[in-house]
Amino acid sequence: MPGVTSTTNPVDGRIVWPIPLQGQWIADPLPVDFTGACDPQPNYAMFVAEVELERLNLARTADEVIARKLADVGTKFQLATDITLEATGRISNDGTPIDASPENAAIYQSLMKTGTIPELPTGMAGPPATIGPVGNATSNSQFDAWELAAMNIGAAASKTTPLTLDAVEYYNRIIGFPPDGFTPPAAWPIKFNRSIDPGTDAQMTTGEQFVDYSGFTYNRSQTFKGSVTWLDVPSLTWKVDKITDVVPFTNLSNSPIGTRTLTGITAFAQLADDVRAMCNFVPDNTFIPGFFMDVPGVDTGPAQQKAITKPAVDLGTLPANVFQTYAFPMTASLLNPWGGTLIDKAQLRITIHAPGALAATDVTAVSTPGGQSVPFTVDAGDLVGTWGPDTGFPVAPGYNVSTTFNVTVADGAPLGSYGITLDLIDIDAPAPALATETGTITVNANAATVLWGDSLPKLATQGVTMQIPLRVYSPAAGTAHLALTVTGPGDDLQTTDVVETLAAGDVTIYASNGSDMVAMPLTLNADGKLVGTWTATLAAAGYTPVTWYATVAEGALVGNYAFGISLDGGNTLTPIVVSVSAPESHGQQPPDAGEGEDTTGDTGGTTGGTTGGTTGGTTGDTQTGGVTRTGGTDRIATATALSQERFDDGTADAAVIARSDDFADALAAVPLAEETNATLLLTGQTLDARVLTEVDRAVSDTGTVYVVGGTGALPASVDAALKTTGRTVVRISGTDRYDTAALVAQKVGNPTAILLATGRDFPDALAGGTAAAKMGGVLLLTNGSTLPDASAQYLAAHATAPVYALGGPAAGAAPKATALVGTDRYDTAVKVAKAFFTAPSGVSVASGVVFADALSGGADAAAQGWPLLITRPAAFPQAAAQYVTATPTIAHADVYGGTGAVQANVATTLAGLLHG
């Protein structure tokens, strides 16, 4: 063999010819051309019989063990919400990486032999499999089966010993890949090279097969392109550096890698070893508080640099509801990170904004311990006060302090939503603030009030007890009489010979009387509802907890049960809705579960007020001082009601159908609905009968029905059911949410403008979809601060259209676009309204914590030429209130969703802001 010299074996004295490792062939080329018949392809010059594999020897494990490990991985995927890659390159389920070497080895075998991994979700499974910004995964760039295979070799290998080029090919040999007669599955583009027996086969049809890596490429600086926040121990200094500058990677060839793109088996083995190096580096640092590393394909270096250099303040957990004259705690915290600079003269500034003008004595705040009062002054109706010495106090790097205030709102102060802003200022240069945090509370009159408690139920099973927590506020000791009303699901329409209704005994309630658990008597009233009362003993002024234990009997109706509470002589709570299943359906999704009802009520501890409520609670239209509310019993009913308002029989040219409980494919649908004069309807994974009825009613006989999203979201049975109406059914479905949005945009046509919003959350896209529809534009999605290929290609094809980025993530993904970025989701929606709507006659408002009502309502808003604002369920945001107040043409408002999604006080506040 040319280039191989003989030597004497020191063991037995024989003359031997040591064959170099494959890596040596590549690192140190042969001194002569090597094109003999024994190996026409230098990349496969020779493979030794054994190499150092360490943990990779686990591939010798029995096939049934590998199969069991693969099944374990599949179970993890089934239970996961987000499947992505964590910083090292290992596959992660909901933030927990697959760390066991046997499982990573099993994943590798599955990827090489099938191009996929069992139980990967639709949109990720392939073949070839992909993990990245598809399905429910977030954050990463997209990595295909080839890359994932290399990463899983690195994850399975010993963490401290670098891999070799030979290890990769030999690993395939010991797992028996490819076996004789192996044919790759369709769409898995794996190829093979074959060694030659020159004595019998000159056509390369026999001999040993080896995986052909010639098409594989790898660039370390692009895969691990991010940054790492790490502690330099010798200098005790926090630093933010590129991952490639910190992790001790090993180069498998003598050539410097840098930013060079590698090809072939060198690239595959180098990626595997780089993951091995990451798996060795990260665990040695993650135990240090503050350590952070970007996931593959993502760089958050500027944000990391800000986190270790910029000071921050925090308001802590604010109570959602407070009462006049009754003190409540408010915590103010200050952090100057180790990478920050000295602030010589710092103060904390507190600004309080109320629905009406405040007097200096309306709010008092006294720090504990210490008893230092915050001296409030009135500034344009707001209260402004500072905490700290008049001369300020120094804040050195590493300074972390927290103080608690006892805050009291005086009797006679304005009621309603208060906005609180905490600023860190330097008194020598108070503007701009060095750090800011905001929150809201609702101020109530000092009167007995019933509130929802923590952890309200949403799902239940017949025969299983659920807890319904309440709190009663009272200014004095005494008793409170609570009235309960239980509304059942009504007739299930499955039994034709009898009308099914709620019956006495279907629901039982127990509670504590202070010493024993006793039943609350429930009776059936004339309206078919179960009603009862409970007397709670209030021991002293303040809050008294009350917990009811409710059980829906086996054999009762399944479906949504509404529990409404009122206080005798006091307030009434928006009912919570609990979806109840039959006992045999344990572990399955109950009927109507997730129909937009976020039943988190008043937790008493959520910054910014309560988050949610049900879409239900109101059916049809109601009027409140110029505000029209459209809400159904659930989000599907709300969308249907909006369709019935807008379209007479047969007057819609089309219908757009989107998934009711997943926003991924639905966000870009509003411009399509406007462009095609379509009604926008929502359905669950099975076509809801109400949607089919509304399509048949509203859409002309020659109309088109657009189904948005793949069959994983809305199965083919949805198309089949819609075709029974006689309308043409067109499905718009891409490889992921970003591709789907681009395809929807193409269906809309040549855009007057392109609006970008993140596709990993919905608030910015809701306001943007309405704006795009109104102006004949389109909405594209970004993968957070990354621009997906589908969106980039659409932008390149429509280069003359103006581009706007809505919200911080989209602005990061498209730095050349015109950015509309607010301080939060509510302020961003206001900025969109100001940018695209001139002198609107009204506004539309929907919840900003659930997407569905704003989606169907967005089409209605666009048809009227009104902007869509989003709101907290329990409090109209300050930015939105200021916009309505400052726009004199706004005389009307539409609210979408029931009083659980947007509470009654929001509509009342909005009505008071409208212009006559």
Side-chain angles (χ1 to χ4, degrees), residues 54 84 166 205 266 310 348 386 498 555 559 604 616 760 789 836 862 882:
E54 293 186 323
T84 180
D166 304 270
T205 59
T266 306
K310 300 298 183 184
L348 292 177
T386 57
V498 63
R760 284 159 45 186
D789 289 342
F836 300 113
Q882 291 173 344

Side-chain angles (χ1 to χ4, degrees), residues 468-484:
I468 301 178
L470 304 168
R471 293 185 305 148
V472 180
Y473 172 80
S474 177
T479 57
H481 302 288
L482 302 173
L484 167 69

